[in-house]
Amino acid sequence: HESYTRQMDLRRTRVLSAGGALRIELEDGSTLILGRHFIDQRLARFITAWPRLLRDRWSRVDSIDLRYTNGFAIRERKGLAGPAASTAR
């Protein structure tokens, strides 16, 4: 997963935890919302989806909510064309 780390600057992150819920704020301002449970599985889902669904649109991503059982929700940055949020499975 080293190539993902270089492409997304995962080495430069802030981990935020409010009430035990994990949020990871990346250097570019995007946020991964992981919640309180199943952190490893949710992070693995994100890493799996990255090359197929997210790499080409990453500059438009504001946040990804990985707390869903079978997928995740993508919120796009304000002011960009297209829908404000979409869902991926």
Side-chain angles (χ1 to χ4, degrees):
H1 302 288
E2 184 178 327
S3 63
Y4 303 135
T5 302
R6 276 197 308 268
Q7 291 173 358
M8 296 172 35
D9 271 333
L10 288 178
R11 293 169 292 175
R12 298 184 185 118
T13 62
R14 276 193 332 177
V15 177
L16 310 170
S17 181
L22 182 64
R23 296 169 58 96
I24 300 174
E25 184 179 300
L26 304 176
E27 183 180 58
D28 68 359
S30 299
T31 302
L32 303 180
I33 303 167
L34 296 164
R36 295 182 183 153
H37 307 287
F38 310 111
I39 303 298
D40 292 341
Q41 295 93 328
R42 292 171 179 175
L43 196 53
R45 185 182 324 136
F46 170 74
I47 290 169
T48 300
W50 164 256
R52 192 168 47 100
L53 298 172
L54 300 169
R55 182 184 326 183
D56 294 338
R57 67 189 290 187
W58 189 254
S59 63
R60 299 188 317 249
V61 171
D62 180 61
S63 65
I64 297 183
D65 188 343
L66 294 148
R67 296 175 293 177
Y68 296 88
T69 303
N70 295 320
F72 52 86
I74 300 169
R75 180 177 304 271
E76 292 187 348
R77 297 182 192 277
K78 292 181 181 179
L80 297 175
S86 60
T87 353
R89 288 187 182 204

